[in-house]
Amino acid sequence: MEGKASSRCGLCTACLCFLLLQVGGADSESFFLVADRLLKAIYQVDVTSGNKVSLPLGELPDPSGLDYDHVTDHVYWSDVSEGKIMRAYRNGTNMEIVAENGVISPTDVALDFAGRNVYWTDSGSYVIRVARMDGEYSRVIVQEDEPITAQPQGIALDPENGYMYWTSAGTPGHEDEAKIERAGMDGSGRETLVNTELKSPRGIAIDVQGQRLYWCDGEFHQIMSSDLQGDNATRVFRPTNQQLYFFGIVLDDSYMYWTAWALDHILRTPKAPSGQITLHPIGSGFRQMMDLHFHNASAVAPAISNACTSSNGDCHHLCLARPGGRTCACDDDWELQQDGTTCHLRDVPTPMSDFLLVADSQLDAIFQVNITSGAKVNLPLGHLVHPGALDYDPGTDYVYWTDALHKRISRAHRDGSGGVEDVVTINIIYPGRGKLPMLCERM
């Protein structure tokens, strides 16, 4: 049933009632957070009673992945159709965009508490990105090679040991390319752990105590588990004659809690079932549950530390954990210097001969190409989204381009100085084709 404000609220607003009665201190209560795609909301669900209440975030277009920072009380979520990573306090205040530029279809999101970073998978651009928790210094750390046969889906982090694990579903026509993968949290040492008995793996969770992985498969309608090296894979749960379309999964010491599109409630089942499996429903009234998070107040993990915890690992931009140490990394538009810690904005060479400007909608970038040598440089214009048509004004050194996803035309200097400016944002249906010389002349 829905959580309701009692008569003690009197004339207070719904938001204030939520703040006073439903969202207490995170350290004193246990709850689930669940994203529902069709209800366009994130819900807080009481672990014992199953009562649920919608976080006062307004209508959310397409919430999918989520995570929770119990230290700051921030909820982070990905919005697939909007192409954004968002965050807000549980009481609905201070909602802000963490990342938007370069984000296409973010599926899942995971927080690195030791390094204070946020990671997300993007099934639209076939990458995994990382940024600081406030969205600064966004960078691609895993990218699918051509031909693209897999899309990253769920992600789980092990900051103490420097690993990240993720699921990848096969692209259309390549369904047999689904896999479970692992790499350092800096993207190094990428390896496939499991590539059999998979079709559409979604949520993934790490059992730190048991040193095992658990993941859901939406098309095979089952939950699987393996050790952290991908060996000893076993089927943990598969319903009989039911197509549930599993999606999200979280764990505690004894149980796994999971969501499925065909259910209107969370289900709890044993991590290590034996004999008859008892299904324990939690909550009700959901329409299409996506990811979920379990905040267990009685088992809050002690503070985890690694090489990035103190002073950001002495890194200028990003400190990314890896097995045995850390890697300093820079925003995509910056370069790591020889000292291994400092970042410097990429230089755009002043052309001494004719050059081409090329927009690449797959790489979300605009390149300057030397006609003679063929050498190219990625213009530091920020994290672009599907740049299409473009033109250049040599008098002002402005580059103009279209953004079909956000239906706008933008411009910036070739060296990125002054940032990106939107010059047309209204009455645009599909700004992806044609040329822009007349527009540039008018500007």
Side-chain angles (χ1 to χ4, degrees):
M1 65 182 283
E2 290 283 345
K4 295 183 179 179
S6 76
S7 59
R8 289 191 293 117
C9 279
L11 299 177
C12 68
T13 65
C15 181
L16 184 57
C17 285
F18 182 93
L19 176 61
L20 293 175
L21 299 181
Q22 303 293 346
V23 180
D27 292 336
S28 63
E29 59 178 333
S30 298
F31 55 83
F32 294 100
L33 293 174
V34 183
D36 192 302
R37 189 174 195 174
L38 294 183
L39 293 177
K40 298 183 180 299
I42 295 174
Y43 289 87
Q44 180 172 309
V45 184
D46 185 272
V47 172
T48 304
S49 68
N51 289 351
K52 77 177 190 293
V53 61
S54 174
L55 299 189
L57 303 171
E59 183 176 288
L60 305 179
D62 198 359
S64 178
L66 60 82
D67 207 346
Y68 173 65
D69 184 350
H70 73 275
V71 176
T72 66
D73 204 32
H74 272 116
V75 180
Y76 288 74
W77 70 95
S78 63
D79 192 296
V80 177
S81 61
E82 290 287 294
K84 295 177 182 176
I85 306 299
M86 304 289 296
R87 75 173 179 181
Y89 292 118
R90 272 191 305 147
N91 63 18
T93 61
N94 286 49
M95 185 185 298
E96 58 184 332
I97 299 172
V98 174
E100 180 180 21
N101 290 333
V103 184
I104 307 297
S105 299
T107 307
D108 200 9
V109 62
L111 297 178
D112 164 21
F113 296 106
R116 305 303 295 175
N117 299 316
V118 55
Y119 289 70
W120 65 92
T121 55
D122 194 321
S123 60
S125 54
Y126 315 105
V127 302
I128 298 176
R129 280 189 174 272
V130 62
R132 298 293 290 166
M133 281 189 175
D134 61 3
E136 278 197 303
Y137 311 132
S138 173
R139 177 179 181 83
V140 172
I141 53 171
V142 171
Q143 185 163 0
E144 292 298 321
D145 296 326
E146 297 283 354
I148 294 173
T149 59
Q151 300 170 305
Q153 300 289 329
I155 186 170
L157 304 178
D158 179 9
E160 188 170 16
N161 296 301
Y163 282 112
M164 61 180 178
Y165 300 81
W166 69 97
T167 61
S168 289
T171 56
H174 300 278
E175 287 79 4
D176 59 348
E177 295 291 333
K179 51 196 170 184
I180 310 298
E181 298 187 74
R182 178 176 76 171
M185 288 171 60
D186 61 350
S188 64
R190 180 179 178 180
E191 58 182 327
T192 297
L193 301 182
V194 180
N195 59 7
T196 59
E197 203 168 343
L198 296 167
K199 189 172 184 181
S200 183
R202 298 291 185 171
I204 186 169
I206 304 171
D207 178 4
V208 177
Q209 183 181 32
Q211 292 290 284
R212 292 189 69 81
L213 296 173
Y214 290 76
W215 63 89
C216 298
D217 195 303
E219 292 294 330
F220 277 164
H221 312 289
Q222 64 187 13
I223 297 175
M224 297 286 292
S225 176
S226 75
D227 62 31
L228 297 184
Q229 288 71 46
D231 299 323
N232 303 308
T234 60
R235 181 185 296 123
V236 181
F237 177 74
R238 184 175 186 177
T240 303
N241 299 322
Q242 283 185 292
Q243 295 185 339
L244 297 183
Y245 302 99
F246 292 82
F247 197 90
I249 184 170
V250 292
L251 311 169
D252 65 13
D253 289 345
S254 302
Y255 297 99
M256 53 187 184
Y257 306 82
W258 43 273
T259 63
W261 288 354
L263 299 176
D264 73 344
H265 52 269
I266 303 167
L267 270 180
R268 185 189 79 185
T269 50
K271 285 195 306 185
S274 59
Q276 186 69 28
I277 299 177
T278 300
L279 303 179
H280 179 77
I282 302 173
S284 64
F286 292 104
R287 292 185 59 194
Q288 191 177 89
M289 292 180 291
M290 305 295 281
D291 198 14
L292 78 165
H293 174 87
F294 180 28
H295 175 70
N296 189 346
S298 63
V300 174
I304 295 173
S305 63
N306 57 30
C308 293
T309 303
S310 178
S311 302
N312 196 40
D314 294 324
C315 297
H316 184 190
H317 282 186
L318 295 167
C319 182
L320 307 179
R322 56 176 171 77
R326 63 97 171 101
T327 298
C328 291
C330 306
D331 181 287
D332 279 337
D333 292 332
W334 295 60
E335 290 180 320
L336 190 66
Q337 300 303 288
Q338 290 186 350
D339 61 9
T341 61
T342 306
C343 297
H344 189 273
L345 186 64
R346 296 181 189 273
D347 292 326
V348 178
T350 301
M352 302 304 293
S353 61
D354 294 339
F355 64 92
L356 294 172
L357 291 177
V358 180
D360 191 314
S361 61
Q362 282 291 326
L363 296 177
D364 292 325
I366 295 176
F367 294 92
Q368 177 178 303
V369 183
N370 185 296
I371 289 180
T372 303
S373 67
K376 75 176 188 291
V377 60
N378 185 351
L379 299 185
L381 306 178
H383 304 295
L384 309 184
V385 179
H386 283 323
L390 63 82
D391 205 349
Y392 173 64
D393 182 355
T396 62
D397 202 31
Y398 270 121
V399 179
Y400 292 79
W401 69 92
T402 62
D403 179 337
L405 181 65
H406 297 100
K407 296 181 173 61
R408 63 192 179 196
I409 296 173
S410 304
R411 73 176 184 180
H413 292 294
R414 274 187 317 115
D415 62 1
S417 61
V420 175
E421 175 187 3
D422 293 334
V423 293
V424 181
T425 58
I426 59 174
N427 299 325
I428 298 179
I429 304 301
Y430 183 69
R433 299 187 179 124
K435 300 179 180 179
L436 298 178
M438 292 182 63
L439 171 68
C440 293
E441 289 172 7
R442 292 196 197 104
M443 296 296 174

